[in-house]
Amino acid sequence: MSKKENGASLILAYLNEKNRPYSAQDVFCNLQKQHGLGKTAVVKAMELLALEGKIKEKTYGKQKIYFADQAQFKDVNDADLKAMDHQISELSGEVQSLTQSCRQLDAELKELNSSLTTEEMVSEIRDLKAECSGYGARLEKIKSASNHITPEEKDKVYKERDLYVKEWKKRKRLASDMISAILEGYPKSKKEFLEEVGVETDEDCKAVLPST
């Protein structure tokens, strides 16, 4: 059988199997990947099949639609149609149920993939136990230390700190007032004055005044 005859046979079998209308473009897209048929070959084969009366052809505007010759199929009575409708309904329900089950299984699989494996859990537990043991040892060391600061000593340190900070602020304000008074009659800039007398400011030393 030639390639041309083989292509026509494939198209005829396809249209009879699907038994629904298709354009030449539809048939080409559906069969090209699996059978490697070219678009021109598909168009010519369908035109030839229609000319030979093996398939039917309808023209809608500029587009041609092809479908299987219905004379080859036996008539279907109302009872058969109802039976088919019932079967379609049952199969649709089954498809819906299976789709729901697949979604549920996909969700469970995603959750399992994001969970730790047994080996990872064992390793995690071992690491956490080691970490807890280290913290426990540090806690015991702190408890057994003899150099704890009493509340009274802590309070004394804070009071001394506040005193020193207040004194720092006081002396800084006095120094600032003195420099401002001198600069009123000084012919140069403040920066030049400080360099000349050798004064270093808190900013020069990057010293930050603590808050009280």
Side-chain angles (χ1 to χ4, degrees), residues 154-177:
K154 180 179 178 182
D155 186 57
K156 180 182 178 182
V157 169
Y158 276 105
K159 286 182 178 179
E160 289 179 351
R161 174 187 178 276
D162 292 340
L163 178 63
Y164 295 144
V165 169
K166 289 179 181 178
E167 187 66 23
W168 184 352
K169 288 182 178 180
K170 177 182 177 181
R171 294 190 180 191
K172 183 172 184 176
R173 185 173 60 254
L174 290 173
S176 178
D177 291 342

PDB file of all heavy atoms in Angstrom, residues 154-177:
ATOM      1  N   LYS A 154      23.487  44.981  92.000  1.00  0.00           N
ATOM      2  CA  LYS A 154      22.985  45.401  90.695  1.00  0.00           C
ATOM      3  C   LYS A 154      22.386  46.803  90.780  1.00  0.00           C
ATOM      4  O   LYS A 154      22.640  47.662  89.922  1.00  0.00           O
ATOM      5  CB  LYS A 154      21.933  44.400  90.197  1.00  0.00           C
ATOM      6  CG  LYS A 154      21.347  44.734  88.842  1.00  0.00           C
ATOM      7  CD  LYS A 154      20.336  43.676  88.432  1.00  0.00           C
ATOM      8  CE  LYS A 154      19.708  44.025  87.090  1.00  0.00           C
ATOM      9  NZ  LYS A 154      18.691  43.036  86.691  1.00  0.00           N
ATOM     10  N   ASP A 155      21.614  47.051  91.847  1.00  0.00           N
ATOM     11  CA  ASP A 155      20.991  48.363  92.030  1.00  0.00           C
ATOM     12  C   ASP A 155      22.057  49.447  92.216  1.00  0.00           C
ATOM     13  O   ASP A 155      21.931  50.563  91.695  1.00  0.00           O
ATOM     14  CB  ASP A 155      20.063  48.307  93.241  1.00  0.00           C
ATOM     15  CG  ASP A 155      19.270  49.586  93.400  1.00  0.00           C
ATOM     16  OD1 ASP A 155      18.556  49.964  92.458  1.00  0.00           O
ATOM     17  OD2 ASP A 155      19.361  50.199  94.485  1.00  0.00           O
ATOM     18  N   LYS A 156      23.113  49.116  92.935  1.00  0.00           N
ATOM     19  CA  LYS A 156      24.195  50.057  93.160  1.00  0.00           C
ATOM     20  C   LYS A 156      24.900  50.423  91.857  1.00  0.00           C
ATOM     21  O   LYS A 156      25.212  51.595  91.596  1.00  0.00           O
ATOM     22  CB  LYS A 156      25.194  49.459  94.148  1.00  0.00           C
ATOM     23  CG  LYS A 156      26.377  50.379  94.443  1.00  0.00           C
ATOM     24  CD  LYS A 156      27.367  49.703  95.392  1.00  0.00           C
ATOM     25  CE  LYS A 156      28.574  50.600  95.642  1.00  0.00           C
ATOM     26  NZ  LYS A 156      29.565  49.932  96.513  1.00  0.00           N
ATOM     27  N   VAL A 157      25.115  49.421  91.013  1.00  0.00           N
ATOM     28  CA  VAL A 157      25.781  49.660  89.727  1.00  0.00           C
ATOM     29  C   VAL A 157      24.948  50.595  88.859  1.00  0.00           C
ATOM     30  O   VAL A 157      25.463  51.536  88.238  1.00  0.00           O
ATOM     31  CB  VAL A 157      26.028  48.320  89.002  1.00  0.00           C
ATOM     32  CG1 VAL A 157      26.466  48.572  87.551  1.00  0.00           C
ATOM     33  CG2 VAL A 157      27.091  47.504  89.733  1.00  0.00           C
ATOM     34  N   TYR A 158      23.629  50.349  88.820  1.00  0.00           N
ATOM     35  CA  TYR A 158      22.758  51.207  88.004  1.00  0.00           C
ATOM     36  C   TYR A 158      22.718  52.642  88.532  1.00  0.00           C
ATOM     37  O   TYR A 158      22.684  53.600  87.754  1.00  0.00           O
ATOM     38  CB  TYR A 158      21.343  50.623  87.953  1.00  0.00           C
ATOM     39  CG  TYR A 158      21.167  49.557  86.890  1.00  0.00           C
ATOM     40  CD1 TYR A 158      21.091  48.214  87.221  1.00  0.00           C
ATOM     41  CD2 TYR A 158      21.085  49.921  85.543  1.00  0.00           C
ATOM     42  CE1 TYR A 158      20.939  47.243  86.255  1.00  0.00           C
ATOM     43  CE2 TYR A 158      20.935  48.954  84.556  1.00  0.00           C
ATOM     44  CZ  TYR A 158      20.861  47.610  84.911  1.00  0.00           C
ATOM     45  OH  TYR A 158      20.719  46.663  83.935  1.00  0.00           O
ATOM     46  N   LYS A 159      22.712  52.783  89.844  1.00  0.00           N
ATOM     47  CA  LYS A 159      22.693  54.133  90.415  1.00  0.00           C
ATOM     48  C   LYS A 159      23.985  54.877  90.095  1.00  0.00           C
ATOM     49  O   LYS A 159      23.966  56.068  89.768  1.00  0.00           O
ATOM     50  CB  LYS A 159      22.504  54.045  91.925  1.00  0.00           C
ATOM     51  CG  LYS A 159      21.080  53.688  92.340  1.00  0.00           C
ATOM     52  CD  LYS A 159      20.939  53.655  93.857  1.00  0.00           C
ATOM     53  CE  LYS A 159      19.494  53.344  94.252  1.00  0.00           C
ATOM     54  NZ  LYS A 159      19.329  53.285  95.728  1.00  0.00           N
ATOM     55  N   GLU A 160      25.119  54.177  90.184  1.00  0.00           N
ATOM     56  CA  GLU A 160      26.395  54.807  89.841  1.00  0.00           C
ATOM     57  C   GLU A 160      26.429  55.199  88.363  1.00  0.00           C
ATOM     58  O   GLU A 160      26.940  56.254  87.992  1.00  0.00           O
ATOM     59  CB  GLU A 160      27.542  53.867  90.164  1.00  0.00           C
ATOM     60  CG  GLU A 160      27.772  53.681  91.666  1.00  0.00           C
ATOM     61  CD  GLU A 160      28.913  52.723  91.939  1.00  0.00           C
ATOM     62  OE1 GLU A 160      29.396  52.091  90.971  1.00  0.00           O
ATOM     63  OE2 GLU A 160      29.312  52.592  93.107  1.00  0.00           O
ATOM     64  N   ARG A 161      25.882  54.326  87.549  1.00  0.00           N
ATOM     65  CA  ARG A 161      25.829  54.621  86.106  1.00  0.00           C
ATOM     66  C   ARG A 161      25.026  55.891  85.854  1.00  0.00           C
ATOM     67  O   ARG A 161      25.448  56.777  85.095  1.00  0.00           O
ATOM     68  CB  ARG A 161      25.203  53.446  85.354  1.00  0.00           C
ATOM     69  CG  ARG A 161      24.972  53.715  83.872  1.00  0.00           C
ATOM     70  CD  ARG A 161      24.199  52.554  83.245  1.00  0.00           C
ATOM     71  NE  ARG A 161      23.918  52.805  81.851  1.00  0.00           N
ATOM     72  CZ  ARG A 161      22.890  53.518  81.391  1.00  0.00           C
ATOM     73  NH1 ARG A 161      22.076  54.114  82.280  1.00  0.00           N
ATOM     74  NH2 ARG A 161      22.696  53.689  80.108  1.00  0.00           N
ATOM     75  N   ASP A 162      23.857  56.005  86.470  1.00  0.00           N
ATOM     76  CA  ASP A 162      23.030  57.199  86.293  1.00  0.00           C
ATOM     77  C   ASP A 162      23.770  58.460  86.752  1.00  0.00           C
ATOM     78  O   ASP A 162      23.685  59.513  86.117  1.00  0.00           O
ATOM     79  CB  ASP A 162      21.718  57.053  87.080  1.00  0.00           C
ATOM     80  CG  ASP A 162      20.812  55.973  86.494  1.00  0.00           C
ATOM     81  OD1 ASP A 162      21.014  55.616  85.307  1.00  0.00           O
ATOM     82  OD2 ASP A 162      19.898  55.495  87.200  1.00  0.00           O
ATOM     83  N   LEU A 163      24.509  58.330  87.858  1.00  0.00           N
ATOM     84  CA  LEU A 163      25.264  59.472  88.385  1.00  0.00           C
ATOM     85  C   LEU A 163      26.329  59.923  87.393  1.00  0.00           C
ATOM     86  O   LEU A 163      26.482  61.122  87.114  1.00  0.00           O
ATOM     87  CB  LEU A 163      25.899  59.094  89.724  1.00  0.00           C
ATOM     88  CG  LEU A 163      26.769  60.165  90.388  1.00  0.00           C
ATOM     89  CD1 LEU A 163      25.914  61.387  90.740  1.00  0.00           C
ATOM     90  CD2 LEU A 163      27.457  59.596  91.625  1.00  0.00           C
ATOM     91  N   TYR A 164      27.050  58.952  86.831  1.00  0.00           N
ATOM     92  CA  TYR A 164      28.119  59.281  85.892  1.00  0.00           C
ATOM     93  C   TYR A 164      27.566  59.874  84.587  1.00  0.00           C
ATOM     94  O   TYR A 164      28.163  60.783  84.005  1.00  0.00           O
ATOM     95  CB  TYR A 164      28.966  58.043  85.589  1.00  0.00           C
ATOM     96  CG  TYR A 164      29.727  57.522  86.788  1.00  0.00           C
ATOM     97  CD1 TYR A 164      29.931  56.156  86.991  1.00  0.00           C
ATOM     98  CD2 TYR A 164      30.261  58.411  87.725  1.00  0.00           C
ATOM     99  CE1 TYR A 164      30.630  55.681  88.084  1.00  0.00           C
ATOM    100  CE2 TYR A 164      30.966  57.951  88.825  1.00  0.00           C
ATOM    101  CZ  TYR A 164      31.140  56.588  89.012  1.00  0.00           C
ATOM    102  OH  TYR A 164      31.837  56.133  90.105  1.00  0.00           O
ATOM    103  N   VAL A 165      26.433  59.358  84.156  1.00  0.00           N
ATOM    104  CA  VAL A 165      25.832  59.881  82.928  1.00  0.00           C
ATOM    105  C   VAL A 165      25.385  61.327  83.140  1.00  0.00           C
ATOM    106  O   VAL A 165      25.579  62.191  82.271  1.00  0.00           O
ATOM    107  CB  VAL A 165      24.643  58.991  82.482  1.00  0.00           C
ATOM    108  CG1 VAL A 165      23.855  59.672  81.359  1.00  0.00           C
ATOM    109  CG2 VAL A 165      25.142  57.627  82.006  1.00  0.00           C
ATOM    110  N   LYS A 166      24.773  61.601  84.286  1.00  0.00           N
ATOM    111  CA  LYS A 166      24.345  62.978  84.590  1.00  0.00           C
ATOM    112  C   LYS A 166      25.548  63.921  84.646  1.00  0.00           C
ATOM    113  O   LYS A 166      25.495  65.051  84.154  1.00  0.00           O
ATOM    114  CB  LYS A 166      23.592  63.005  85.913  1.00  0.00           C
ATOM    115  CG  LYS A 166      22.215  62.362  85.833  1.00  0.00           C
ATOM    116  CD  LYS A 166      21.527  62.397  87.195  1.00  0.00           C
ATOM    117  CE  LYS A 166      20.156  61.732  87.126  1.00  0.00           C
ATOM    118  NZ  LYS A 166      19.473  61.719  88.454  1.00  0.00           N
ATOM    119  N   GLU A 167      26.633  63.459  85.254  1.00  0.00           N
ATOM    120  CA  GLU A 167      27.848  64.277  85.342  1.00  0.00           C
ATOM    121  C   GLU A 167      28.436  64.526  83.954  1.00  0.00           C
ATOM    122  O   GLU A 167      28.925  65.620  83.648  1.00  0.00           O
ATOM    123  CB  GLU A 167      28.872  63.582  86.243  1.00  0.00           C
ATOM    124  CG  GLU A 167      30.101  64.410  86.555  1.00  0.00           C
ATOM    125  CD  GLU A 167      29.781  65.652  87.395  1.00  0.00           C
ATOM    126  OE1 GLU A 167      28.730  65.650  88.099  1.00  0.00           O
ATOM    127  OE2 GLU A 167      30.562  66.617  87.350  1.00  0.00           O
ATOM    128  N   TRP A 168      28.372  63.485  83.129  1.00  0.00           N
ATOM    129  CA  TRP A 168      28.857  63.602  81.735  1.00  0.00           C
ATOM    130  C   TRP A 168      28.068  64.691  81.005  1.00  0.00           C
ATOM    131  O   TRP A 168      28.636  65.573  80.351  1.00  0.00           O
ATOM    132  CB  TRP A 168      28.698  62.244  81.046  1.00  0.00           C
ATOM    133  CG  TRP A 168      29.241  62.170  79.644  1.00  0.00           C
ATOM    134  CD1 TRP A 168      29.714  63.190  78.875  1.00  0.00           C
ATOM    135  CD2 TRP A 168      29.344  60.995  78.856  1.00  0.00           C
ATOM    136  NE1 TRP A 168      30.108  62.746  77.658  1.00  0.00           N
ATOM    137  CE2 TRP A 168      29.905  61.378  77.599  1.00  0.00           C
ATOM    138  CE3 TRP A 168      29.048  59.655  79.075  1.00  0.00           C
ATOM    139  CZ2 TRP A 168      30.131  60.461  76.585  1.00  0.00           C
ATOM    140  CZ3 TRP A 168      29.282  58.744  78.058  1.00  0.00           C
ATOM    141  CH2 TRP A 168      29.823  59.139  76.830  1.00  0.00           C
ATOM    142  N   LYS A 169      26.747  64.636  81.125  1.00  0.00           N
ATOM    143  CA  LYS A 169      25.898  65.626  80.468  1.00  0.00           C
ATOM    144  C   LYS A 169      26.187  67.042  80.991  1.00  0.00           C
ATOM    145  O   LYS A 169      26.248  68.000  80.208  1.00  0.00           O
ATOM    146  CB  LYS A 169      24.420  65.283  80.711  1.00  0.00           C
ATOM    147  CG  LYS A 169      23.925  64.069  79.942  1.00  0.00           C
ATOM    148  CD  LYS A 169      22.447  63.842  80.209  1.00  0.00           C
ATOM    149  CE  LYS A 169      21.915  62.663  79.404  1.00  0.00           C
ATOM    150  NZ  LYS A 169      20.465  62.431  79.662  1.00  0.00           N
ATOM    151  N   LYS A 170      26.389  67.135  82.307  1.00  0.00           N
ATOM    152  CA  LYS A 170      26.648  68.439  82.925  1.00  0.00           C
ATOM    153  C   LYS A 170      27.943  69.033  82.405  1.00  0.00           C
ATOM    154  O   LYS A 170      28.004  70.212  82.008  1.00  0.00           O
ATOM    155  CB  LYS A 170      26.693  68.272  84.444  1.00  0.00           C
ATOM    156  CG  LYS A 170      27.021  69.564  85.202  1.00  0.00           C
ATOM    157  CD  LYS A 170      27.091  69.288  86.692  1.00  0.00           C
ATOM    158  CE  LYS A 170      27.500  70.550  87.464  1.00  0.00           C
ATOM    159  NZ  LYS A 170      27.601  70.272  88.921  1.00  0.00           N
ATOM    160  N   ARG A 171      29.012  68.216  82.385  1.00  0.00           N
ATOM    161  CA  ARG A 171      30.316  68.716  81.945  1.00  0.00           C
ATOM    162  C   ARG A 171      30.302  69.029  80.440  1.00  0.00           C
ATOM    163  O   ARG A 171      30.946  69.978  79.993  1.00  0.00           O
ATOM    164  CB  ARG A 171      31.389  67.687  82.256  1.00  0.00           C
ATOM    165  CG  ARG A 171      31.579  67.477  83.751  1.00  0.00           C
ATOM    166  CD  ARG A 171      32.791  66.644  84.055  1.00  0.00           C
ATOM    167  NE  ARG A 171      32.946  66.446  85.489  1.00  0.00           N
ATOM    168  CZ  ARG A 171      34.039  65.921  86.053  1.00  0.00           C
ATOM    169  NH1 ARG A 171      35.052  65.532  85.297  1.00  0.00           N
ATOM    170  NH2 ARG A 171      34.105  65.772  87.368  1.00  0.00           N
ATOM    171  N   LYS A 172      29.564  68.241  79.675  1.00  0.00           N
ATOM    172  CA  LYS A 172      29.491  68.497  78.243  1.00  0.00           C
ATOM    173  C   LYS A 172      28.775  69.818  77.971  1.00  0.00           C
ATOM    174  O   LYS A 172      29.180  70.601  77.107  1.00  0.00           O
ATOM    175  CB  LYS A 172      28.744  67.348  77.546  1.00  0.00           C
ATOM    176  CG  LYS A 172      28.686  67.510  76.031  1.00  0.00           C
ATOM    177  CD  LYS A 172      28.118  66.255  75.365  1.00  0.00           C
ATOM    178  CE  LYS A 172      28.157  66.417  73.844  1.00  0.00           C
ATOM    179  NZ  LYS A 172      27.709  65.218  73.140  1.00  0.00           N
ATOM    180  N   ARG A 173      27.724  70.082  78.747  1.00  0.00           N
ATOM    181  CA  ARG A 173      26.994  71.343  78.590  1.00  0.00           C
ATOM    182  C   ARG A 173      27.869  72.533  78.974  1.00  0.00           C
ATOM    183  O   ARG A 173      27.884  73.557  78.294  1.00  0.00           O
ATOM    184  CB  ARG A 173      25.721  71.295  79.446  1.00  0.00           C
ATOM    185  CG  ARG A 173      24.826  72.530  79.257  1.00  0.00           C
ATOM    186  CD  ARG A 173      23.500  72.384  79.983  1.00  0.00           C
ATOM    187  NE  ARG A 173      23.688  72.209  81.410  1.00  0.00           N
ATOM    188  CZ  ARG A 173      23.526  71.058  82.064  1.00  0.00           C
ATOM    189  NH1 ARG A 173      23.186  69.963  81.396  1.00  0.00           N
ATOM    190  NH2 ARG A 173      23.708  70.987  83.380  1.00  0.00           N
ATOM    191  N   LEU A 174      28.633  72.399  80.098  1.00  0.00           N
ATOM    192  CA  LEU A 174      29.523  73.479  80.536  1.00  0.00           C
ATOM    193  C   LEU A 174      30.600  73.765  79.496  1.00  0.00           C
ATOM    194  O   LEU A 174      30.890  74.929  79.176  1.00  0.00           O
ATOM    195  CB  LEU A 174      30.172  73.113  81.879  1.00  0.00           C
ATOM    196  CG  LEU A 174      29.241  73.106  83.107  1.00  0.00           C
ATOM    197  CD1 LEU A 174      29.981  72.562  84.320  1.00  0.00           C
ATOM    198  CD2 LEU A 174      28.719  74.522  83.387  1.00  0.00           C
ATOM    199  N   ALA A 175      31.174  72.677  78.959  1.00  0.00           N
ATOM    200  CA  ALA A 175      32.219  72.844  77.947  1.00  0.00           C
ATOM    201  C   ALA A 175      31.663  73.516  76.704  1.00  0.00           C
ATOM    202  O   ALA A 175      32.301  74.401  76.105  1.00  0.00           O
ATOM    203  CB  ALA A 175      32.820  71.493  77.592  1.00  0.00           C
ATOM    204  N   SER A 176      30.443  73.136  76.322  1.00  0.00           N
ATOM    205  CA  SER A 176      29.816  73.722  75.138  1.00  0.00           C
ATOM    206  C   SER A 176      29.547  75.207  75.339  1.00  0.00           C
ATOM    207  O   SER A 176      29.769  76.032  74.437  1.00  0.00           O
ATOM    208  CB  SER A 176      28.512  72.971  74.830  1.00  0.00           C
ATOM    209  OG  SER A 176      27.858  73.533  73.716  1.00  0.00           O
ATOM    210  N   ASP A 177      29.094  75.560  76.554  1.00  0.00           N
ATOM    211  CA  ASP A 177      28.830  76.975  76.850  1.00  0.00           C
ATOM    212  C   ASP A 177      30.129  77.793  76.816  1.00  0.00           C
ATOM    213  O   ASP A 177      30.165  78.923  76.286  1.00  0.00           O
ATOM    214  CB  ASP A 177      28.173  77.108  78.222  1.00  0.00           C
ATOM    215  CG  ASP A 177      26.763  76.543  78.238  1.00  0.00           C
ATOM    216  OD1 ASP A 177      26.180  76.367  77.139  1.00  0.00           O
ATOM    217  OD2 ASP A 177      26.233  76.255  79.335  1.00  0.00           O
TER     218      ASP A 177
END
